[in-house]
Amino acid sequence: MLLGVLVVLAVSYGAAAWALSGRVPAGVEVAGVQIGHMSRDTAVERLTTRLHDELTAPVPVRVGTAETAVDPARAGLQADLEGTVDRLVGFTLDPRQMWRHVAGDSSVEPQTVVDEAALQASVDALAAEVDAEVVEGAVTFADGVAEATQAQQGRVLDRDGAADVLATSWLDGPRPLELPAEVTDPQVGSDAVAEAMSSFAVPATAGPLTVLAGDRSVRLEPSAVTPALSMVPVDGRLEPQVDGEVLAAAVLGADGDLVTPAQDASIRIEDGAPVVVPAVPGTTLDPEGLAEAALAALPTPERTATVELVPAEPDVTTAEVEALGVTEVISEFSTPHPPDAARTENLRIATSTVNGTLLLPGETFSLNGTLGQRTAAKGYNEAGVIINGRLAEATGGGVSQVATTLFNGMFFAGLEDVEHKTHSFYISRYPEGREATVNWPNIDLKFRNNTSTGVLIEAWVAGGRVHTRFWGTKVWDEVRATKSERRNVTEPERIVITDEDCVPQSPAPGFDVTVTRELVRDGVVQRTEEFRTRYVPQDEVVCEPVPSE
């Protein structure tokens, strides 16, 4: 009897399983579409129709705070709706599957066919779009205004994790689809930027800053103040700072009479002897005190900073100049100049600029550095120069005579020759092989004070000559100059020029010559130096009238 009942139940169970095998269990939904109790084909048709738009629509995704979308087709993502339904239908004696048909089921994930290469390419492109360096919130100042830089989260997409999420959830996942990433939050956030702008930056640039020093008042417009302002991150905040040096320069630029510059000690020649001119202290702004006062004043409606002037000490003290040992003449030299008013004026301007130059021990003198470019604005005239072996005219012509005179002063003072260039051809008013030329900016005369004491240079024009005198403490008892015979003499050529700018030129041979300098102490030659020079021939230039047309 019992066996018969069991047989009947088994047959009934099998029959039920067979009857339900062609239908989806009750209550099943795929990607939000109900397909419970439907036949296989009906379920596939329902999913295909209802999910048509979702299957092709871009998938919105979020990476940190960045949002974008992924094209499923480009990403190689395709829904296998038939495979999804096939998992839900078919004959089975599994009681769990039978129970689903009776009691109903929950949501079922759709199956997806993934093109791994296409998915990886899309994830790489997504990373290029959303990856970003962290941007710290900041406040900067320029042209009198404050500018805010908003903070931005830094992020690096987890490419493998993103590919997994897209492959499994692209169709039925929450929107936007959250993709995993390594996220870095800025230390200075947007709240800190807003606080910095409202508490300092905007008030500080809302109007001029007034600086009171003594009985003087200086008004600085925001454009003059902002170069000194900055805001520095400290523990997640932006703290204002004022560069006192920059602000002090702006104040003094607006009112140079606010302070009294200190005067360095110097040396001048009086009654034929060097005299130390004592240093004189001055007054100046204390950059640190000015910065503190401005920092407190700028956020206030008044924007008024009160400061005290402080003593300014000279860079070169009286004691330092007295210790330089500038006590005697160590060399002097002069060269004759031709009677040319324009050229002579050039010589006067150049020598007055050089006159009084004090070279400290180890310091190098540069004639170009001292004179700068010779221009008409400085008073220099057009006068004779040598260009490519020909006489011509140029602004500042004749200054090479100052170079020659100074070169000989350096020579007989025993100082170190650093750089000099002789004229291309020999000029008879100068010593052979012991002269120098100069041209802005590529040809210079440089020499170094290689003594342990200071060297004061005098230079002037008088009596038809250019003079120089070097003062210091003698290192050498005597400096001797000897000159070799001329050698490798070459004759000039005769050239006829029909040019309006032609300058006639007398002929002179070219030759080689060597000058030897002997530095003597205690009657013994301590050092010998040779200066070798090659002069090219000075061609004869004959100027003939320009042919008429």
Side-chain angles (χ1 to χ4, degrees), residues 239-312:
E239 292 191 356
Q241 289 189 352
V242 176
D243 188 323
E245 297 284 354
V246 174
L247 188 58
V251 172
L252 297 180
D255 184 359
D257 296 329
L258 182 69
V259 300
T260 304
Q263 298 179 22
D264 290 340
S266 60
I267 301 174
R268 66 170 176 251
I269 305 301
E270 293 183 0
D271 300 326
V275 175
V276 174
V277 180
V280 179
T283 59
T284 190
L285 289 169
D286 172 26
E288 184 175 342
L290 176 61
E292 292 178 359
L295 191 61
L298 283 167
T300 68
E302 297 79 14
R303 284 184 297 279
T304 299
T306 302
V307 296
E308 298 291 334
L309 296 178
V310 297

Side-chain angles (χ1 to χ4, degrees), residues 140-171:
T140 56
F141 299 89
D143 299 326
V145 298
E147 296 181 354
T149 298
Q150 296 303 324
Q152 180 176 320
Q153 188 184 66
R155 54 190 171 266
V156 178
L157 181 67
D158 176 355
R159 301 190 186 200
D160 292 339
D164 290 342
V165 172
L166 285 169
T168 58
S169 305
W170 69 277
L171 184 58

Side-chain angles (χ1 to χ4, degrees), residues 88-111:
L88 302 171
V89 299
F91 177 77
T92 179
L93 296 177
D94 187 339
R96 292 171 297 178
Q97 184 73 355
M98 292 294 291
W99 177 250
R100 290 191 186 100
H101 281 279
V102 175
D105 203 351
S106 59
S107 177
V108 173
E109 291 185 0
Q111 285 187 278

Side-chain angles (χ1 to χ4, degrees), residues 70 72-77 114-125 159-160 162-168:
V70 174
R74 286 179 176 271
L77 301 173
V114 179
D115 182 335
E116 296 292 346
L119 179 58
Q120 189 60 55
S122 286
V123 168
D124 290 343
R159 301 190 186 200
D160 292 339
D164 290 342
V165 172
L166 285 169
T168 58

